[in-house]
Amino acid sequence: MNITYALLAGLLLFCSRLTATPPSTPKEALDLLEKTELPDSSKFWPNVRRDLFVGNLKANITAPLAIYQGSNTNFCGYAALSYLPLHDDPLTYTRFMIELFVKGTATWGKIVFTPSREVHRAAGTLRFKGILDIRPADQMWFLILADHFRSYLNFFWPRFKPGAEDTFWAAVNYGKFNRMIRDLIGYEVDATGSDIFRPHFKDLYGYLTERLKTGYTYLYVNNTYLHKKNHDKGRFRNSFPTHFIVLSSIQKADNDPESDLVDIVYWDYGGRTLRQVSLRFLKKIIFGVTHCGPPSTIK
Amino acid sequence: MRYLPGLCFFLVLVQGMSCTTINISNYYRKNQSTLDSIEETFRVAYAQKPFSIEFTDRPFNRLSLELITDTLTYIYEYNVGEPRLQDTLLRYGYDTAAINSIITNMRSMECTWVDNLNYWTYPDVKKHTLIYIPL
């Protein structure tokens, strides 16, 4: 009898890890936001208005795909990272943001965020960034992440100055991105790639298809090829990865197994995109593949 | 010290070769009607169904079409004049005449991109839009 119970308990534990039920739901996050009384303004964030802050959090909880890094900023790594808590644990995210708004500092897991005075002043003032203009909570979130997590790319830009969101102050390299997932979200990370050299994939299509079966799959890509025009003369700029996207699906075009063309669906810039590309092109732009998820749920 | 004039000449030469500048005011005055036509046609067509167009190569033979829907953005690449482009526009319900006219005018002006940018002003939190046409 005891063995049967032990087996059942083991099976339940195994299944719960496989299905990986999110730790919280959007409803729980909205309830928390609803019942928390926030001050009209925060002395720590002089340029953040309460109504816009609350509206921004509600929008992120109800439509997590819409989080937008802003035009021409270097916040794409932080926006891509946000995909995880907004989908899996919106309650922790909301609690953290409320604490940040009220106290000026906040703790996520073991990490204590103590933003600099410049960051406190800057949040809510970023302009001409598309919808990020009216998203003060996102401005706070991106700025404190950039302020806290540093790497060799940020070495010559140690402190925030006006306009720093567009510079190397906010840049995210591959190692830093994976570290943020591990340290902040606590997910297991299986990463292949680097900032300079492209990883070799014998069968890229098979590799990505396998990764997509569990957890989340991020691609670290050269955005110059993916998004912008190929008119730039500088080969140097075109040679390095600059962007993180969340891959949702990959399928051979027209379901032809021999085809080199694939339809990929990915998330970036506040929405999902379907794009048809050749595998050759995809190999050329991918500098890293990060597969992550709650511990023991990814293979 | 004796190499200084040579060095200066070299730097001036490199600077001269590295970029071409356009006097944008003169350019606009010269091509005002076509540029205004691109802007106006794009404004009307975008209001019906959002999209953007960019040319991805220097000879302006290859273009990328971004079709924006509520749930998904579709990005396809075509050669100019390819029948597949017209099929796609019809399938997604776009105004083919307007988009073809924009493409023709962009090519003649060597405009690389046409897109819509939203921005907000404070304290009224009012939304504004801006059509940008880079060269």
Side-chain angles (χ1 to χ4, degrees), chain A residues 76 174 194 198 218-227 238-247 264 266 268 281-289:
Chain A
C76 79
Y174 194 48
S194 75
R198 282 191 285 265
Y218 286 95
L219 302 183
Y220 183 39
V221 296
N222 186 326
N223 197 34
T224 319
Y225 285 116
L226 193 64
H227 269 285
N238 291 343
S239 307
F240 294 103
T242 50
H243 191 46
F244 292 91
I245 62 177
V246 185
L247 187 68
I264 56 169
Y266 58 89
D268 74 345
F281 173 83
L282 206 54
K283 269 185 187 169
K284 193 176 166 185
I285 64 167
I286 292 180
F287 279 72
V289 178

mmCIF file of all heavy atoms in Angstrom, chain A residues 76 174 194 198 218-227 238-247 264 266 268 281-289:
data_model
loop_
_atom_site.group_PDB
_atom_site.id
_atom_site.type_symbol
_atom_site.label_atom_id
_atom_site.label_comp_id
_atom_site.label_asym_id
_atom_site.label_seq_id
_atom_site.Cartn_x
_atom_site.Cartn_y
_atom_site.Cartn_z
ATOM 1 N N CYS A 76 16.179 45.794 -25.705
ATOM 2 C CA CYS A 76 15.529 44.585 -26.223
ATOM 3 C C CYS A 76 15.799 43.361 -25.356
ATOM 4 O O CYS A 76 14.918 42.525 -25.172
ATOM 5 C CB CYS A 76 15.906 44.337 -27.672
ATOM 6 S SG CYS A 76 17.506 43.606 -27.884
ATOM 7 N N TYR A 174 25.361 38.280 -24.649
ATOM 8 C CA TYR A 174 24.743 36.962 -24.502
ATOM 9 C C TYR A 174 24.896 36.389 -23.086
ATOM 10 O O TYR A 174 23.941 35.875 -22.506
ATOM 11 C CB TYR A 174 25.357 36.010 -25.532
ATOM 12 C CG TYR A 174 24.584 34.727 -25.702
ATOM 13 C CD1 TYR A 174 23.205 34.738 -25.868
ATOM 14 C CD2 TYR A 174 25.232 33.500 -25.699
ATOM 15 C CE1 TYR A 174 22.493 33.565 -26.026
ATOM 16 C CE2 TYR A 174 24.529 32.316 -25.869
ATOM 17 C CZ TYR A 174 23.158 32.362 -26.023
ATOM 18 O OH TYR A 174 22.457 31.194 -26.170
ATOM 19 N N SER A 194 27.695 32.625 -28.651
ATOM 20 C CA SER A 194 28.598 33.626 -28.057
ATOM 21 C C SER A 194 28.331 34.984 -28.702
ATOM 22 O O SER A 194 27.501 35.097 -29.603
ATOM 23 C CB SER A 194 30.050 33.212 -28.295
ATOM 24 O OG SER A 194 30.391 33.451 -29.636
ATOM 25 N N ARG A 198 29.525 32.491 -34.382
ATOM 26 C CA ARG A 198 28.246 31.791 -34.564
ATOM 27 C C ARG A 198 28.416 30.328 -34.172
ATOM 28 O O ARG A 198 29.426 29.711 -34.527
ATOM 29 C CB ARG A 198 27.812 31.866 -36.023
ATOM 30 C CG ARG A 198 27.209 33.189 -36.410
ATOM 31 C CD ARG A 198 26.578 33.066 -37.774
ATOM 32 N NE ARG A 198 27.596 33.038 -38.810
ATOM 33 C CZ ARG A 198 28.011 34.086 -39.495
ATOM 34 N NH1 ARG A 198 27.477 35.259 -39.246
ATOM 35 N NH2 ARG A 198 28.930 33.979 -40.422
ATOM 36 N N TYR A 218 14.977 31.298 -26.888
ATOM 37 C CA TYR A 218 15.387 32.638 -27.337
ATOM 38 C C TYR A 218 16.444 32.508 -28.423
ATOM 39 O O TYR A 218 17.308 31.629 -28.347
ATOM 40 C CB TYR A 218 16.025 33.411 -26.179
ATOM 41 C CG TYR A 218 15.058 33.912 -25.148
ATOM 42 C CD1 TYR A 218 14.801 33.190 -23.995
ATOM 43 C CD2 TYR A 218 14.411 35.134 -25.319
ATOM 44 C CE1 TYR A 218 13.919 33.666 -23.032
ATOM 45 C CE2 TYR A 218 13.533 35.610 -24.355
ATOM 46 C CZ TYR A 218 13.286 34.873 -23.222
ATOM 47 O OH TYR A 218 12.424 35.353 -22.275
ATOM 48 N N LEU A 219 16.393 33.400 -29.385
ATOM 49 C CA LEU A 219 17.448 33.473 -30.386
ATOM 50 C C LEU A 219 18.176 34.807 -30.226
ATOM 51 O O LEU A 219 17.538 35.860 -30.065
ATOM 52 C CB LEU A 219 16.883 33.374 -31.804
ATOM 53 C CG LEU A 219 16.058 32.131 -32.164
ATOM 54 C CD1 LEU A 219 15.650 32.183 -33.639
ATOM 55 C CD2 LEU A 219 16.811 30.858 -31.879
ATOM 56 N N TYR A 220 19.485 34.728 -30.245
ATOM 57 C CA TYR A 220 20.323 35.932 -30.172
ATOM 58 C C TYR A 220 20.776 36.185 -31.604
ATOM 59 O O TYR A 220 21.541 35.392 -32.168
ATOM 60 C CB TYR A 220 21.497 35.610 -29.256
ATOM 61 C CG TYR A 220 22.457 36.722 -28.974
ATOM 62 C CD1 TYR A 220 22.049 38.028 -28.764
ATOM 63 C CD2 TYR A 220 23.821 36.449 -28.849
ATOM 64 C CE1 TYR A 220 22.950 39.027 -28.471
ATOM 65 C CE2 TYR A 220 24.735 37.445 -28.545
ATOM 66 C CZ TYR A 220 24.283 38.725 -28.355
ATOM 67 O OH TYR A 220 25.177 39.722 -28.051
ATOM 68 N N VAL A 221 20.277 37.254 -32.197
ATOM 69 C CA VAL A 221 20.447 37.414 -33.642
ATOM 70 C C VAL A 221 21.050 38.758 -34.026
ATOM 71 O O VAL A 221 21.058 39.697 -33.239
ATOM 72 C CB VAL A 221 19.084 37.274 -34.382
ATOM 73 C CG1 VAL A 221 18.519 35.886 -34.222
ATOM 74 C CG2 VAL A 221 18.095 38.321 -33.916
ATOM 75 N N ASN A 222 21.492 38.793 -35.251
ATOM 76 C CA ASN A 222 21.972 40.043 -35.826
ATOM 77 C C ASN A 222 20.775 40.794 -36.400
ATOM 78 O O ASN A 222 20.225 40.431 -37.435
ATOM 79 C CB ASN A 222 22.983 39.754 -36.931
ATOM 80 C CG ASN A 222 23.600 41.015 -37.455
ATOM 81 O OD1 ASN A 222 22.952 42.051 -37.513
ATOM 82 N ND2 ASN A 222 24.852 40.937 -37.825
ATOM 83 N N ASN A 223 20.386 41.837 -35.683
ATOM 84 C CA ASN A 223 19.178 42.567 -36.047
ATOM 85 C C ASN A 223 19.333 43.373 -37.327
ATOM 86 O O ASN A 223 18.351 43.710 -37.985
ATOM 87 C CB ASN A 223 18.812 43.512 -34.899
ATOM 88 C CG ASN A 223 17.406 43.996 -34.994
ATOM 89 O OD1 ASN A 223 16.553 43.251 -35.439
ATOM 90 N ND2 ASN A 223 17.162 45.217 -34.597
ATOM 91 N N THR A 224 20.553 43.689 -37.685
ATOM 92 C CA THR A 224 20.770 44.489 -38.900
ATOM 93 C C THR A 224 20.222 43.738 -40.102
ATOM 94 O O THR A 224 19.649 44.325 -41.007
ATOM 95 C CB THR A 224 22.267 44.749 -39.102
ATOM 96 O OG1 THR A 224 22.835 45.048 -37.844
ATOM 97 C CG2 THR A 224 22.504 45.886 -40.050
ATOM 98 N N TYR A 225 20.398 42.440 -40.077
ATOM 99 C CA TYR A 225 19.872 41.647 -41.179
ATOM 100 C C TYR A 225 18.380 41.394 -41.025
ATOM 101 O O TYR A 225 17.635 41.350 -41.992
ATOM 102 C CB TYR A 225 20.582 40.291 -41.242
ATOM 103 C CG TYR A 225 21.969 40.383 -41.786
ATOM 104 C CD1 TYR A 225 23.063 40.069 -40.994
ATOM 105 C CD2 TYR A 225 22.197 40.795 -43.091
ATOM 106 C CE1 TYR A 225 24.351 40.153 -41.483
ATOM 107 C CE2 TYR A 225 23.484 40.889 -43.592
ATOM 108 C CZ TYR A 225 24.554 40.564 -42.787
ATOM 109 O OH TYR A 225 25.820 40.665 -43.275
ATOM 110 N N LEU A 226 17.952 41.207 -39.764
ATOM 111 C CA LEU A 226 16.567 40.811 -39.550
ATOM 112 C C LEU A 226 15.598 41.955 -39.762
ATOM 113 O O LEU A 226 14.525 41.785 -40.293
ATOM 114 C CB LEU A 226 16.400 40.252 -38.125
ATOM 115 C CG LEU A 226 15.103 39.512 -37.850
ATOM 116 C CD1 LEU A 226 15.008 38.269 -38.707
ATOM 117 C CD2 LEU A 226 14.997 39.144 -36.384
ATOM 118 N N HIS A 227 15.975 43.144 -39.334
ATOM 119 C CA HIS A 227 15.003 44.232 -39.350
ATOM 120 C C HIS A 227 15.344 45.404 -40.245
ATOM 121 O O HIS A 227 14.476 46.029 -40.805
ATOM 122 C CB HIS A 227 14.804 44.778 -37.941
ATOM 123 C CG HIS A 227 13.694 44.096 -37.220
ATOM 124 N ND1 HIS A 227 12.386 44.335 -37.505
ATOM 125 C CD2 HIS A 227 13.710 43.163 -36.257
ATOM 126 C CE1 HIS A 227 11.630 43.579 -36.748
ATOM 127 N NE2 HIS A 227 12.403 42.856 -35.970
ATOM 128 N N ASN A 238 27.492 45.197 -39.252
ATOM 129 C CA ASN A 238 26.640 44.113 -39.725
ATOM 130 C C ASN A 238 27.100 42.746 -39.240
ATOM 131 O O ASN A 238 26.477 41.748 -39.533
ATOM 132 C CB ASN A 238 26.609 44.102 -41.256
ATOM 133 C CG ASN A 238 25.880 45.298 -41.799
ATOM 134 O OD1 ASN A 238 25.149 45.952 -41.065
ATOM 135 N ND2 ASN A 238 26.062 45.580 -43.064
ATOM 136 N N SER A 239 28.224 42.708 -38.535
ATOM 137 C CA SER A 239 28.816 41.415 -38.216
ATOM 138 C C SER A 239 28.466 40.881 -36.845
ATOM 139 O O SER A 239 28.836 39.764 -36.525
ATOM 140 C CB SER A 239 30.338 41.517 -38.318
ATOM 141 O OG SER A 239 30.690 42.042 -39.563
ATOM 142 N N PHE A 240 27.812 41.681 -36.019
ATOM 143 C CA PHE A 240 27.609 41.246 -34.637
ATOM 144 C C PHE A 240 26.134 41.162 -34.256
ATOM 145 O O PHE A 240 25.307 41.904 -34.786
ATOM 146 C CB PHE A 240 28.339 42.186 -33.681
ATOM 147 C CG PHE A 240 29.826 42.115 -33.846
ATOM 148 C CD1 PHE A 240 30.508 43.104 -34.530
ATOM 149 C CD2 PHE A 240 30.531 41.027 -33.365
ATOM 150 C CE1 PHE A 240 31.879 43.016 -34.711
ATOM 151 C CE2 PHE A 240 31.896 40.926 -33.546
ATOM 152 C CZ PHE A 240 32.562 41.923 -34.220
ATOM 153 N N PRO A 241 25.833 40.282 -33.288
ATOM 154 C CA PRO A 241 24.437 40.146 -32.853
ATOM 155 C C PRO A 241 24.033 41.315 -31.969
ATOM 156 O O PRO A 241 24.856 41.818 -31.193
ATOM 157 C CB PRO A 241 24.463 38.846 -32.050
ATOM 158 C CG PRO A 241 25.858 38.717 -31.566
ATOM 159 C CD PRO A 241 26.729 39.356 -32.591
ATOM 160 N N THR A 242 22.804 41.747 -32.089
ATOM 161 C CA THR A 242 22.370 42.916 -31.333
ATOM 162 C C THR A 242 20.964 42.759 -30.761
ATOM 163 O O THR A 242 20.437 43.694 -30.178
ATOM 164 C CB THR A 242 22.343 44.153 -32.250
ATOM 165 O OG1 THR A 242 21.609 43.807 -33.424
ATOM 166 C CG2 THR A 242 23.724 44.617 -32.633
ATOM 167 N N HIS A 243 20.352 41.613 -30.935
ATOM 168 C CA HIS A 243 18.923 41.549 -30.658
ATOM 169 C C HIS A 243 18.510 40.180 -30.123
ATOM 170 O O HIS A 243 19.074 39.158 -30.532
ATOM 171 C CB HIS A 243 18.197 41.833 -31.984
ATOM 172 C CG HIS A 243 16.736 42.062 -31.845
ATOM 173 N ND1 HIS A 243 16.190 42.882 -30.894
ATOM 174 C CD2 HIS A 243 15.681 41.564 -32.538
ATOM 175 C CE1 HIS A 243 14.873 42.894 -31.026
ATOM 176 N NE2 HIS A 243 14.539 42.093 -32.006
ATOM 177 N N PHE A 244 17.510 40.164 -29.226
ATOM 178 C CA PHE A 244 16.973 38.905 -28.688
ATOM 179 C C PHE A 244 15.522 38.751 -29.139
ATOM 180 O O PHE A 244 14.749 39.711 -29.042
ATOM 181 C CB PHE A 244 17.021 38.919 -27.158
ATOM 182 C CG PHE A 244 18.415 38.895 -26.611
ATOM 183 C CD1 PHE A 244 19.098 40.077 -26.352
ATOM 184 C CD2 PHE A 244 19.062 37.692 -26.362
ATOM 185 C CE1 PHE A 244 20.389 40.057 -25.847
ATOM 186 C CE2 PHE A 244 20.355 37.671 -25.861
ATOM 187 C CZ PHE A 244 21.016 38.848 -25.612
ATOM 188 N N ILE A 245 15.187 37.575 -29.620
ATOM 189 C CA ILE A 245 13.795 37.311 -29.976
ATOM 190 C C ILE A 245 13.364 35.997 -29.323
ATOM 191 O O ILE A 245 14.192 35.134 -29.041
ATOM 192 C CB ILE A 245 13.575 37.242 -31.510
ATOM 193 C CG1 ILE A 245 14.375 36.108 -32.141
ATOM 194 C CG2 ILE A 245 13.901 38.557 -32.169
ATOM 195 C CD1 ILE A 245 14.128 35.959 -33.648
ATOM 196 N N VAL A 246 12.060 35.876 -29.089
ATOM 197 C CA VAL A 246 11.526 34.639 -28.509
ATOM 198 C C VAL A 246 10.911 33.834 -29.655
ATOM 199 O O VAL A 246 9.952 34.291 -30.291
ATOM 200 C CB VAL A 246 10.435 34.945 -27.455
ATOM 201 C CG1 VAL A 246 9.979 33.652 -26.774
ATOM 202 C CG2 VAL A 246 10.938 35.926 -26.424
ATOM 203 N N LEU A 247 11.457 32.684 -29.901
ATOM 204 C CA LEU A 247 10.955 31.863 -31.007
ATOM 205 C C LEU A 247 9.733 31.079 -30.539
ATOM 206 O O LEU A 247 9.786 30.407 -29.507
ATOM 207 C CB LEU A 247 12.057 30.901 -31.468
ATOM 208 C CG LEU A 247 11.756 30.084 -32.716
ATOM 209 C CD1 LEU A 247 11.685 30.963 -33.959
ATOM 210 C CD2 LEU A 247 12.805 28.987 -32.926
ATOM 211 N N ILE A 264 9.017 31.164 -39.645
ATOM 212 C CA ILE A 264 9.264 31.266 -38.201
ATOM 213 C C ILE A 264 8.291 32.291 -37.617
ATOM 214 O O ILE A 264 7.958 33.293 -38.251
ATOM 215 C CB ILE A 264 10.722 31.663 -37.864
ATOM 216 C CG1 ILE A 264 11.135 32.979 -38.539
ATOM 217 C CG2 ILE A 264 11.689 30.558 -38.225
ATOM 218 C CD1 ILE A 264 12.468 33.530 -38.028
ATOM 219 N N TYR A 266 7.987 34.585 -34.240
ATOM 220 C CA TYR A 266 8.776 35.011 -33.085
ATOM 221 C C TYR A 266 8.163 36.254 -32.460
ATOM 222 O O TYR A 266 7.354 36.959 -33.077
ATOM 223 C CB TYR A 266 10.239 35.277 -33.476
ATOM 224 C CG TYR A 266 10.434 36.325 -34.550
ATOM 225 C CD1 TYR A 266 10.587 37.677 -34.216
ATOM 226 C CD2 TYR A 266 10.464 35.975 -35.893
ATOM 227 C CE1 TYR A 266 10.764 38.636 -35.195
ATOM 228 C CE2 TYR A 266 10.641 36.932 -36.877
ATOM 229 C CZ TYR A 266 10.791 38.260 -36.515
ATOM 230 O OH TYR A 266 10.960 39.221 -37.493
ATOM 231 N N ASP A 268 9.000 39.903 -30.712
ATOM 232 C CA ASP A 268 9.880 41.032 -30.380
ATOM 233 C C ASP A 268 9.101 42.319 -30.615
ATOM 234 O O ASP A 268 8.012 42.290 -31.197
ATOM 235 C CB ASP A 268 11.197 40.987 -31.169
ATOM 236 C CG ASP A 268 11.042 41.365 -32.627
ATOM 237 O OD1 ASP A 268 9.895 41.389 -33.104
ATOM 238 O OD2 ASP A 268 12.058 41.620 -33.301
ATOM 239 N N PHE A 281 19.885 31.683 -44.369
ATOM 240 C CA PHE A 281 19.825 33.028 -43.800
ATOM 241 C C PHE A 281 19.763 32.958 -42.265
ATOM 242 O O PHE A 281 20.444 33.712 -41.563
ATOM 243 C CB PHE A 281 18.592 33.750 -44.353
ATOM 244 C CG PHE A 281 18.321 35.086 -43.727
ATOM 245 C CD1 PHE A 281 18.990 36.216 -44.163
ATOM 246 C CD2 PHE A 281 17.392 35.226 -42.708
ATOM 247 C CE1 PHE A 281 18.739 37.453 -43.591
ATOM 248 C CE2 PHE A 281 17.139 36.457 -42.134
ATOM 249 C CZ PHE A 281 17.805 37.581 -42.581
ATOM 250 N N LEU A 282 18.948 32.032 -41.763
ATOM 251 C CA LEU A 282 18.774 31.891 -40.321
ATOM 252 C C LEU A 282 20.103 31.531 -39.649
ATOM 253 O O LEU A 282 20.450 32.073 -38.598
ATOM 254 C CB LEU A 282 17.728 30.803 -40.045
ATOM 255 C CG LEU A 282 16.943 30.898 -38.731
ATOM 256 C CD1 LEU A 282 16.281 32.255 -38.581
ATOM 257 C CD2 LEU A 282 15.899 29.795 -38.656
ATOM 258 N N LYS A 283 20.842 30.614 -40.290
ATOM 259 C CA LYS A 283 22.154 30.225 -39.746
ATOM 260 C C LYS A 283 23.081 31.437 -39.689
ATOM 261 O O LYS A 283 23.892 31.588 -38.781
ATOM 262 C CB LYS A 283 22.792 29.159 -40.635
ATOM 263 C CG LYS A 283 22.453 27.748 -40.214
ATOM 264 C CD LYS A 283 23.211 26.758 -41.055
ATOM 265 C CE LYS A 283 22.744 25.343 -40.754
ATOM 266 N NZ LYS A 283 23.244 24.362 -41.700
ATOM 267 N N LYS A 284 22.945 32.285 -40.692
ATOM 268 C CA LYS A 284 23.825 33.446 -40.799
ATOM 269 C C LYS A 284 23.564 34.469 -39.692
ATOM 270 O O LYS A 284 24.476 35.163 -39.251
ATOM 271 C CB LYS A 284 23.586 34.085 -42.172
ATOM 272 C CG LYS A 284 24.592 35.099 -42.588
ATOM 273 C CD LYS A 284 24.279 35.559 -43.996
ATOM 274 C CE LYS A 284 25.021 36.806 -44.348
ATOM 275 N NZ LYS A 284 24.636 37.332 -45.663
ATOM 276 N N ILE A 285 22.304 34.567 -39.245
ATOM 277 C CA ILE A 285 21.997 35.619 -38.267
ATOM 278 C C ILE A 285 22.006 35.132 -36.821
ATOM 279 O O ILE A 285 22.057 35.941 -35.908
ATOM 280 C CB ILE A 285 20.645 36.318 -38.560
ATOM 281 C CG1 ILE A 285 19.471 35.345 -38.440
ATOM 282 C CG2 ILE A 285 20.657 37.008 -39.904
ATOM 283 C CD1 ILE A 285 18.129 36.045 -38.411
ATOM 284 N N ILE A 286 21.957 33.803 -36.600
ATOM 285 C CA ILE A 286 21.883 33.307 -35.219
ATOM 286 C C ILE A 286 23.278 33.213 -34.595
ATOM 287 O O ILE A 286 24.147 32.525 -35.101
ATOM 288 C CB ILE A 286 21.194 31.924 -35.161
ATOM 289 C CG1 ILE A 286 19.716 32.049 -35.513
ATOM 290 C CG2 ILE A 286 21.342 31.308 -33.775
ATOM 291 C CD1 ILE A 286 18.964 30.748 -35.488
ATOM 292 N N PHE A 287 23.438 33.906 -33.453
ATOM 293 C CA PHE A 287 24.690 33.836 -32.695
ATOM 294 C C PHE A 287 24.499 33.077 -31.381
ATOM 295 O O PHE A 287 25.467 32.783 -30.694
ATOM 296 C CB PHE A 287 25.217 35.244 -32.398
ATOM 297 C CG PHE A 287 25.959 35.846 -33.556
ATOM 298 C CD1 PHE A 287 25.287 36.273 -34.690
ATOM 299 C CD2 PHE A 287 27.332 35.974 -33.528
ATOM 300 C CE1 PHE A 287 25.975 36.815 -35.765
ATOM 301 C CE2 PHE A 287 28.031 36.519 -34.597
ATOM 302 C CZ PHE A 287 27.349 36.939 -35.723
ATOM 303 N N GLY A 288 23.257 32.816 -31.034
ATOM 304 C CA GLY A 288 23.025 32.076 -29.801
ATOM 305 C C GLY A 288 21.610 31.533 -29.740
ATOM 306 O O GLY A 288 20.681 32.150 -30.255
ATOM 307 N N VAL A 289 21.465 30.370 -29.125
ATOM 308 C CA VAL A 289 20.141 29.800 -28.864
ATOM 309 C C VAL A 289 20.090 29.488 -27.373
ATOM 310 O O VAL A 289 20.910 28.736 -26.858
ATOM 311 C CB VAL A 289 19.907 28.500 -29.671
ATOM 312 C CG1 VAL A 289 18.539 27.915 -29.341
ATOM 313 C CG2 VAL A 289 20.028 28.755 -31.167
#
